[in-house]
Amino acid sequence: MSNPDELLVALSAAVESERSNQMSLTVVVGGAVITGRLAPEAVWRERVAEVLKDSDRLGPFSDVFADAPGGDRPVRDEAPTHLHFHLARILQGSLGIPETGGMYRVAIKDVSAWTVGDLSYFDQ
């Protein structure tokens, strides 16, 4: 979207203000379907930093995520520009990649479609 969807921006702002990761969302970005729970940026950064810190190879990069602008909780005077997904999957056919869920950051302006809720596939 060249002009970000105002409703999606408002939804992201509500997630940021509540510091909750209980809002499930599915988006289409560049043809990929991503589904999962939204998290506030500070919470998302903290979790990514924790995961990286535990890695022998990627540990040095954890500081990039741990050093959130504005300290523990970023102060925002403007509308959010990104969605921060926690426990998210890229849907590909009957698979969710990764199975356990990942951490994704998506530019709101790049979202071409979205729906509230977490889509899941079940093998039957």
Side-chain angles (χ1 to χ4, degrees), residues 83-107:
L83 301 170
H84 296 87
F85 283 93
H86 171 71
L87 299 174
R89 296 173 318 284
I90 297 173
L91 300 181
Q92 175 69 33
S94 62
L95 298 173
I97 306 166
E99 274 186 37
T100 57
M103 307 291 284
Y104 296 102
R105 176 178 161 111
V106 175

Side-chain angles (χ1 to χ4, degrees), residues 39-60:
E41 181 177 357
V43 172
W44 183 86
R45 282 175 169 264
E46 182 180 301
R47 180 65 183 126
V48 171
E50 288 172 4
V51 170
L52 292 176
K53 191 174 188 176
D54 291 340
S55 169
D56 292 334
R57 213 171 20 110
L58 301 175

Side-chain angles (χ1 to χ4, degrees), residues 11-27:
L11 185 65
S12 180
V15 168
E16 287 291 334
S17 68
E18 295 295 321
R19 293 188 55 87
S20 169
N21 66 347
Q22 297 305 305
M23 181 66 206
S24 294
L25 190 72
T26 299
V27 297

Side-chain angles (χ1 to χ4, degrees), residues 4 34-35 38 41 62 70-72 78 82 84 89 102 123:
I34 300 173
T35 189
L38 292 181
E41 181 177 357
S62 68
D72 188 306
E78 68 276 351
H82 290 78
H84 296 87
R89 296 173 318 284
D123 291 332

